Amino acid sequence: MYGYEMNKKALQDRLRRIEGQVRGLQRMVEEDKYCIDILTQVTSVQAALRAVGMGLLDDHVRHCVRESIEQGSGEAKIEELMAAVGRIAGK
Amino acid sequence: MYGYEMNKKALQDRLRRIEGQVRGLQRMVEEDKYCIDILTQVTSVQAALRAVGMGLLDDHVRHCVRESIEQGSGEAKIEELMAAVGRIAGK
Amino acid sequence: MYGYEMNKKALQDRLRRIEGQVRGLQRMVEEDKYCIDILTQVTSVQAALRAVGMGLLDDHVRHCVRESIEQGSGEAKIEELMAAVGRIAGK
Amino acid sequence: MYGYEMNKKALQDRLRRIEGQVRGLQRMVEEDKYCIDILTQVTSVQAALRAVGMGLLDDHVRHCVRESIEQGSGEAKIEELMAAVGRIAGK
């Protein structure tokens, strides 16, 4: 079982809200809203996605990484974790 | 007319693709995919959104900002632009 | 004259402060400070650098970019500006 | 002993190089270099600092975090780690 499964419902709710925000962006473009207002909304979807990413990472460390360290096989998990952090931090 | 209107169709296509990616994330969570794989996909949606934001900003500078400078009233537009850039660059 | 020259003294003060912060980091490493405390300090130098970058960008838009648009030759400057914004926004 | 101590010399070399880059920025400002060229250099110092931050984080996870998990007291370290990752990823 992966870390996020405990919070699966909350995670799905967040993703559905993000999907709604992206549809909202399409509506703004359709209705010829002002560029800067659309941009502000893009920034807010980005923040919501980053929060999802940080939540997944947090669950991953608390479960998958911790468990494999406890079982003496943390090396590969730590490698993989740091690669993911590097991608999130924009390398 | 705002800058992005010329590219309105391309912009909508990109947003629809992003919406599809977000639904793909929901599917991954539903199917209990591995956290790091979901995270990698989150990072790729973030890159797609950043590209949309940069495209909007580009059109905005080439049209709205340029035109208001040409008409001698660029001050407020530049102020607003720099605030948007600050939000995109993570303040 | 470039945009930042008006604020040249303030800019140099900021850069000297950043230089001092980087020397502070070396001292922390020398004194075997705790990793997370060093990391926090790294993050704060990054914020200071980003502020310098945003200030330079702001001056650049208000002077170089605006002037070349007023003189009818904004195209290349806008191109160059957006490339710089892209680099600051992490691609 | 903290994680980075093994690589202490390499870390100090990197920080000294960054200090040199910041002094280079002061020189560029002094010599009235073109704003965009200074900005490009700012971006490259930011990349160097991010690399230092990621290196510290990596050592921290491989040593401090791993050891405290192995000793059954990982909770606080994981909490602290995720806060640091959040700061690096721009919250």
Side-chain angles (χ1 to χ4, degrees):
Chain A
M1 195 186 97
Y2 298 130
Y4 66 84
E5 292 180 47
M6 283 180 340
N7 307 311
K8 199 161 159 174
K9 199 190 157 315
L11 182 53
Q12 291 288 37
D13 286 348
R14 283 174 134 189
L15 288 172
R16 260 188 292 268
R17 204 150 43 231
I18 290 171
E19 187 193 333
Q21 286 181 299
V22 176
R23 266 201 301 267
L25 282 169
Q26 294 167 32
R27 217 158 27 238
M28 291 179 88
V29 169
E30 199 46 54
E31 296 169 357
D32 299 327
K33 295 291 191 230
Y34 182 46
C35 348
I36 292 288
D37 294 337
I38 305 181
L39 251 176
T40 301
Q41 187 59 13
V42 168
T43 311
S44 123
V45 183
Q46 284 180 304
L49 265 173
R50 190 166 42 217
V52 163
M54 289 300 299
L56 282 166
L57 202 64
D58 195 286
D59 287 335
H60 180 65
V61 172
R62 285 177 202 282
H63 295 88
C64 314
V65 176
R66 157 183 283 187
E67 280 158 30
S68 58
I69 290 175
E70 285 168 354
Q71 291 156 18
S73 60
E75 199 55 46
K77 284 286 177 240
I78 289 176
E79 198 77 45
E80 187 187 57
L81 168 70
M82 294 315 298
V85 171
R87 283 193 300 272
I88 283 177
K91 191 87 47 323
Chain B
M1 197 186 95
Y2 298 129
Y4 66 84
E5 292 181 46
M6 281 180 341
N7 307 311
K8 200 161 160 175
K9 199 191 157 315
L11 182 54
Q12 290 289 38
D13 286 349
R14 283 174 134 188
L15 288 171
R16 260 188 292 268
R17 205 151 41 232
I18 290 171
E19 187 193 335
Q21 286 181 299
V22 176
R23 266 202 301 269
L25 283 169
Q26 293 167 34
R27 218 157 27 237
M28 291 179 89
V29 170
E30 199 47 52
E31 297 169 357
D32 299 328
K33 294 293 189 229
Y34 182 45
C35 348
I36 292 289
D37 294 336
I38 305 181
L39 250 175
T40 301
Q41 186 59 14
V42 168
T43 311
S44 122
V45 185
Q46 284 180 304
L49 265 173
R50 187 167 44 217
V52 163
M54 288 302 299
L56 282 166
L57 202 62
D58 194 286
D59 287 336
H60 180 64
V61 173
R62 285 176 204 283
H63 295 88
C64 314
V65 176
R66 156 183 282 188
E67 280 158 31
S68 59
I69 290 175
E70 285 169 354
Q71 290 155 19
S73 62
E75 199 56 47
K77 284 286 177 242
I78 289 176
E79 198 77 47
E80 189 187 56
L81 169 70
M82 295 314 299
V85 171
R87 283 194 299 273
I88 283 177
K91 191 81 49 320
Chain C
M1 194 187 100
Y2 298 129
Y4 66 83
E5 292 180 48
M6 283 179 339
N7 306 310
K8 199 161 161 174
K9 199 190 157 314
L11 183 54
Q12 291 288 38
D13 286 349
R14 283 174 134 188
L15 288 171
R16 260 189 291 269
R17 203 149 46 231
I18 290 171
E19 187 192 335
Q21 286 181 298
V22 176
R23 266 202 301 269
L25 282 169
Q26 294 167 35
R27 215 156 32 236
M28 291 180 89
V29 170
E30 200 46 54
E31 296 169 358
D32 299 328
K33 293 293 189 230
Y34 181 47
C35 347
I36 292 288
D37 293 337
I38 306 181
L39 251 175
T40 300
Q41 187 58 14
V42 168
T43 311
S44 121
V45 184
Q46 284 180 304
L49 265 173
R50 189 165 41 217
V52 163
M54 288 302 299
L56 281 166
L57 201 63
D58 195 285
D59 287 336
H60 180 63
V61 173
R62 285 176 203 282
H63 295 88
C64 314
V65 177
R66 156 184 281 188
E67 280 158 31
S68 58
I69 289 174
E70 285 168 354
Q71 290 155 18
S73 62
E75 198 56 45
K77 284 287 179 241
I78 290 176
E79 198 76 47
E80 187 188 59
L81 168 70
M82 294 315 299
V85 171
R87 283 193 299 274
I88 283 177
K91 180 113 40 343
Chain D
M1 194 186 97
Y2 298 130
Y4 66 85
E5 293 181 47
M6 282 180 340
N7 307 310
K8 198 161 161 174
K9 198 191 158 313
L11 182 54
Q12 290 290 37
D13 286 348
R14 283 174 134 189
L15 288 171
R16 260 189 291 269
R17 205 150 43 231
I18 290 171
E19 186 193 334
Q21 287 180 299
V22 176
R23 266 202 301 269
L25 281 170
Q26 294 167 35
R27 216 156 32 236
M28 291 179 89
V29 169
E30 199 45 55
E31 297 169 358
D32 299 327
K33 294 292 189 229
Y34 181 47
C35 348
I36 292 288
D37 294 337
I38 305 180
L39 251 176
T40 301
Q41 187 58 13
V42 168
T43 312
S44 122
V45 185
Q46 284 180 303
L49 265 173
R50 188 166 44 217
V52 163
M54 288 302 299
L56 282 166
L57 201 62
D58 194 285
D59 287 336
H60 180 63
V61 172
R62 285 175 203 282
H63 295 88
C64 314
V65 176
R66 156 183 282 187
E67 280 159 29
S68 59
I69 290 175
E70 285 168 353
Q71 289 156 19
S73 62
E75 199 56 46
K77 283 287 178 240
I78 289 176
E79 198 77 48
E80 188 188 58
L81 168 70
M82 294 316 299
V85 171
R87 283 193 299 273
I88 283 177
K91 188 87 45 329

